[in-house]
Amino acid sequence: MTAPVLELKNVAKTYRVKQGLFGKPKPLTAVNDVSLTLGRGEVLGLVGESGCGKSTLAKILLGLEAPTSGQVLVDGEEIAGQDRLALARRIQPIFQDPYSSLNPRKTIADIVSLPLRVHGIGDSASRAKSVRETLDLVGLPARVLNTYPSQMSGGQRQRVAIARALIMRPEIVICDEPTSALDVSVQSQILNLLNELREEFGLTYLFISHDLAVVEHLATRVAVMYLGRIVEEAPVAALFDAPRHPYARALLNSVLTPDPAQGVPDTQLGAAYPNPIAPPPGCHFHPRCPFAQDHCKAAAPRSVPVGQGHVKCHLHDPDTPMYRPDFTV
Ligand code: SF4
């Protein structure tokens, strides 16, 4: 890996959540002990079911939420306490729904130039030039400058959102389900565009998606998240060829779900996704895991290196009674 551009060290985020009118607030750990490293130009695909903590992690990286514990470093500098504007120059988001993330009352020129104006970069002539160049980069003609989001297609709007994210030339882009609101035919155009821009500018992406086909297409590495923890992390080819964690396997099997319109993978795991306020003891995945044993209910698995990645499962840990060195799921 090249020198890390983004590092997360034991990052956790806990909220106090009230259940019912008179219920006492209880802790909800949305992100739990997450450690990840991204090299420049890498694309880390972050996958998991709804509510697993992916979006909370994205908010922490964007400086919109502070972690309860742990560190986030960009180019070796901790982001805690950094000025939000300074951070926004280095990390920019692209969200799922371009329509709701673009101000409908502003023209495309206003929307794309906004980051430059907020950061006080250039005069109006240089900003206009920069907007035209960035629109060109994302494949939009200059004639859209004075149009409004409502006059554009979904794919064009997402190109505007990408232009707005890139006009500051950030190092890292957090892509939060950037194609899931688009038609399938438009999705591949946007994915190809993101890939081209990454190559041209050496961008680093954290690519959050429930769609494993999309992740396989774009990511260089994949992290699988379950109930706030990363349970497996590996290069994309290694994880798709031979997933080590039973949950990663279930997610991969869900790629061919017969109803893609559901928007989330059908993991066919039987038991429902657990309540994060009262997570199961030991390995949080044990109520849904076909390989669970008593030890899984008693002890939480630690992260162990396996192949080119890391896995949290007792079956891969030589220090547990369940260790099976030849285990594949
Ligand atoms: Fe399944 Fe046990 Fe591994 Fe958890 S630790 S994934 S319950 S086998």
Side-chain angles (χ1 to χ4, degrees):
M1 185 195 294
T2 56
V5 62
L6 179 64
E7 281 182 274
L8 285 79
K9 294 184 178 176
N10 309 107
V11 171
K13 178 70 186 178
T14 300
Y15 300 98
R16 305 284 300 175
V17 178
K18 221 171 153 181
Q19 285 198 305
L21 198 55
F22 303 107
K24 277 191 180 165
K26 291 189 172 169
L28 185 161
T29 302
V31 173
N32 195 341
D33 195 25
V34 168
S35 294
L36 291 168
T37 304
L38 271 90
R40 196 170 300 282
E42 276 198 318
V43 181
L44 179 71
L46 185 62
V47 299
E49 289 166 278
S50 270
C52 74
K54 305 184 300 270
S55 293
T56 302
L57 196 58
K59 286 182 192 159
I60 290 172
L61 295 177
L62 290 164
L64 302 174
E65 297 265 8
T68 310
S69 60
Q71 291 177 299
V72 179
L73 299 100
V74 175
D75 287 329
E77 285 176 38
E78 193 169 354
I79 66 170
Q82 276 192 30
D83 176 60
R84 279 274 298 278
L85 280 183
L87 188 60
R89 282 179 176 237
R90 306 169 91 176
I91 308 181
Q92 280 286 316
I94 300 170
F95 293 113
Q96 175 178 2
D97 181 356
Y99 197 62
S100 63
S101 70
L102 304 178
N103 187 335
R105 293 191 194 85
K106 298 289 183 187
T107 65
I108 302 309
D110 285 338
I111 290 169
V112 177
S113 65
L114 180 66
L116 298 177
R117 286 182 277 125
V118 168
H119 290 262
I121 296 173
D123 55 22
S124 61
S126 70
R127 288 198 286 263
K129 180 170 178 278
S130 190
V131 168
R132 282 196 303 275
E133 287 170 355
T134 310
L135 286 178
D136 187 48
L137 272 178
V138 302
L140 288 173
R143 68 172 178 275
V144 304
L145 281 167
N146 295 316
T147 59
Y148 291 84
S150 60
Q151 295 171 279
M152 306 185 103
S153 68
Q156 286 176 319
R157 285 197 288 263
Q158 197 56 298
R159 286 175 193 267
V160 172
I162 294 169
R164 182 180 57 182
L166 294 193
I167 199 159
M168 298 291 295
R169 298 292 183 266
E171 295 167 75
I172 301 163
V173 182
I174 309 295
C175 306
D176 192 354
E177 305 266 11
T179 58
S180 57
L182 303 175
D183 291 343
V184 174
S185 59
V186 181
Q187 281 186 7
S188 60
Q189 294 170 19
I190 297 296
L191 290 174
N192 289 338
L193 173 65
L194 288 170
N195 219 4
E196 287 161 18
L197 294 168
R198 179 182 70 85
E199 285 176 6
E200 184 163 352
F201 297 105
L203 297 167
T204 302
Y205 291 155
L206 177 73
F207 197 94
I208 297 172
S209 181
H210 66 263
D211 187 336
L212 288 159
V214 166
V215 170
E216 188 177 21
H217 180 76
L218 201 70
T220 50
R221 290 172 40 227
V222 185
V224 179
M225 201 165 186
Y226 188 77
L227 221 61
R229 295 171 189 257
I230 303 296
V231 296
E232 180 163 0
E233 182 263 321
V236 68
L239 191 131
F240 276 78
D241 284 352
R244 313 279 181 155
H245 195 283
Y247 179 62
R249 178 68 189 184
L251 274 187
L252 254 58
N253 283 342
S254 74
V255 172
L256 298 178
T257 180
D259 183 9
Q262 282 182 328
V264 291
D266 177 3
T267 53
Q268 315 245 319
L269 283 167
Y273 197 79
N275 180 353
I277 293 181
C283 174
H284 291 344
F285 186 56
H286 83 254
R288 305 171 84 192
C289 179
F291 306 99
Q293 300 175 26
D294 286 347
H295 186 65
C296 305
K297 300 174 192 169
R302 62 184 184 132
S303 179
V304 287
V306 181
Q308 300 170 69
H310 286 81
V311 183
K312 279 183 182 157
C313 172
H314 295 314
L315 293 165
H316 295 282
D317 186 344
D319 290 343
T320 74
M322 287 174 58
Y323 181 49
R324 285 172 51 189
D326 55 346
F327 180 80
T328 52
V329 289

